[in-house]
Amino acid sequence: QVQLVESGGGSVQAGGSLRLSCAVSGYTYSSYCMGWFRQAPGSLREGVAAIDNAGRTSYSDSVKGRFTISQENGKNTLDLQMNSLKPDDTAMYYCATEPYAHWSCYAGLWKAQGGSAAWGQGTQVTVSS
C-alpha cells in the first residue's frame, strides 16, 4: 500500500523560502508521475510541479522559475524547494503519485485522479506580506 507523508510547511514572509518533503513508501512502479498540488480556500486545486520516472519536470506558470521539484533516494522522497514566495502561494500543499501516468506528467494537465493514484494528507504553507 502506497503511503505519502508531507512535511516542511509553515509560515514565512514574502520573499522567503520553504522546502517541502514527501516521504513515499510502498511504491513499486517503474513508470509513474509524482508531483505537488495546492489548494487555497475557495479555489480549485492546482497542480504546481510534476516529475516522471525519467526525471522530466514540469511547472505551472505561476511557480516556474521559483519552485524546483526533485526526487531523492530514488523515488522515496519527493521535495519541493520554494523560493521567492508570494502571498498568493498560501495554500495547503499535497503530494501525489500515480503509476503509468508518465505520459501525462505535466503540471496543470496531470490531475492524479486515476484509481491507483495516491495522495498525502497535506501541509499548510502561509506567506505573509
Side-chain angles (χ1 to χ4, degrees):
Q1 183 178 356
V2 179
Q3 289 189 321
L4 293 84
V5 179
E6 301 98 335
S7 61
S11 297
V12 65
Q13 289 191 327
S17 299
L18 283 174
R19 188 176 184 89
L20 305 183
S21 289
C22 176
V24 183
S25 61
Y27 210 69
T28 61
Y29 298 100
S30 59
S31 298
Y32 56 82
C33 183
M34 290 187 177
W36 291 90
F37 294 78
R38 67 185 182 187
Q39 188 167 20
S43 298
L44 296 175
R45 188 166 60 198
E46 172 191 17
V48 297
I51 186 168
D52 69 10
N53 50 280
R56 289 178 289 249
T57 59
S58 171
Y59 301 92
S60 66
D61 288 343
S62 60
V63 307
K64 195 174 296 181
R66 300 187 297 122
F67 290 12
T68 302
I69 188 171
S70 62
Q71 281 185 285
E72 304 293 333
N73 301 321
K75 51 182 178 285
N76 294 329
T77 304
L78 182 69
D79 292 337
L80 185 68
Q81 178 66 43
M82 305 185 296
N83 298 329
S84 302
L85 283 162
K86 306 174 182 179
D88 284 350
D89 295 318
T90 295
M92 185 71 80
Y93 283 72
Y94 301 88
C95 65
T97 185
E98 184 174 8
Y100 309 117
H102 53 287
W103 59 273
S104 64
C105 198
Y106 300 96
L109 173 63
W110 175 54
K111 304 298 184 184
Q113 292 179 332
S116 298
W119 289 78
Q121 82 288 350
T123 186
Q124 178 67 38
V125 172
T126 302
V127 184
S128 58
S129 57

